[in-house]
Amino acid sequence: IAAKLGLQPIRELLRMGRPLAGIAAVPAPPGYRILPFEAADTDGVVAVNRVAFAHHPEQGRLTVDDFQALTRQPWFDAGGLLVAHHDDEVAGFHWTKRHDANLGEVYVLAVRPGHGGAGLGRALLAAGLAHLHTVGCEDVELYVEASEERVVALYAATGFRTLSVDTAYRQGDAP
């Protein structure tokens, strides 16, 4: 139908999910510590988010004020925002969200450029999934851009499967 209407796909958003049974935390890579969020981490988390999602049309615009507003939401749990530290620098974070008694979400997973490749993303992911399982969630979901092939591969390698795909289109001759 889209092709008949002259529409071109421009963005695919995957909803992926998995059960949390059998999840286990993975140790942080040498030189890193993964700890629950503290207020002193705010600027570092926002900075990592900004650089890790600089290419993203929505996520890369998060400000300190936006972040603080999110931490005042009823669903916010500082224990579910896991922050990776390398020396005194925030190197990454995994922000989880609990939707209800059974369903959790990988809300944001980000690693500062320059800290990738050591297994930090995988360790942060596992730590957040273990947290969600500990607080009673049975399943977890996330949303990820299909174009982020490396990230999609990480999720697939850790047991996530695509549950649905949302595609955005535009007119073929539009900019």
Side-chain angles (χ1 to χ4, degrees):
I1 294 173
K4 247 185 180 182
L5 296 172
L7 301 175
Q8 305 274 337
I10 58 166
R11 186 176 177 197
E12 286 186 325
L13 184 66
L14 307 179
R15 183 172 66 93
M16 300 179 80
R18 64 158 289 168
L20 287 169
I23 196 70
V26 172
Y32 293 90
R33 294 169 288 120
I34 298 175
L35 304 166
F37 172 79
E38 294 183 3
D41 297 325
T42 298
D43 289 338
V45 167
V46 172
V48 168
N49 189 83
R50 183 178 53 253
V51 296
F53 293 101
H55 64 282
H56 195 276
E58 297 95 21
Q59 187 65 32
R61 296 182 185 158
L62 184 77
T63 66
V64 169
D65 288 340
D66 297 334
F67 175 82
Q68 290 174 334
L70 288 168
T71 66
R72 291 190 294 272
Q73 295 297 311
W75 56 262
F76 177 73
D77 171 17
L81 174 48
L82 299 157
V83 181
H85 299 266
H86 183 265
D87 298 325
D88 292 332
E89 178 183 47
V90 172
F93 66 93
H94 181 180
W95 193 346
T96 66
K97 183 176 183 179
R98 191 170 183 197
H99 288 278
D100 58 38
N102 297 317
L103 181 63
E105 180 180 346
V106 174
Y107 186 58
V108 184
L109 177 64
V111 173
R112 182 185 295 274
H115 291 276
L120 183 58
R122 185 176 300 271
L124 280 164
L125 177 60
L129 297 181
H131 167 78
L132 289 170
H133 186 60
T134 299
V135 298
C137 292
E138 296 175 12
D139 295 294
V140 62
E141 67 180 15
L142 60 85
Y143 296 86
V144 62
E145 300 286 336
S147 62
E148 294 294 325
E149 295 173 3
R150 190 173 64 48
V151 179
V152 172
L154 168 66
Y155 292 139
T158 54
F160 283 86
R161 298 293 168 249
T162 300
L163 305 174
S164 64
V165 179
D166 290 320
T167 306
Y169 297 89
R170 74 167 172 227
Q171 261 333 103
D173 57 354

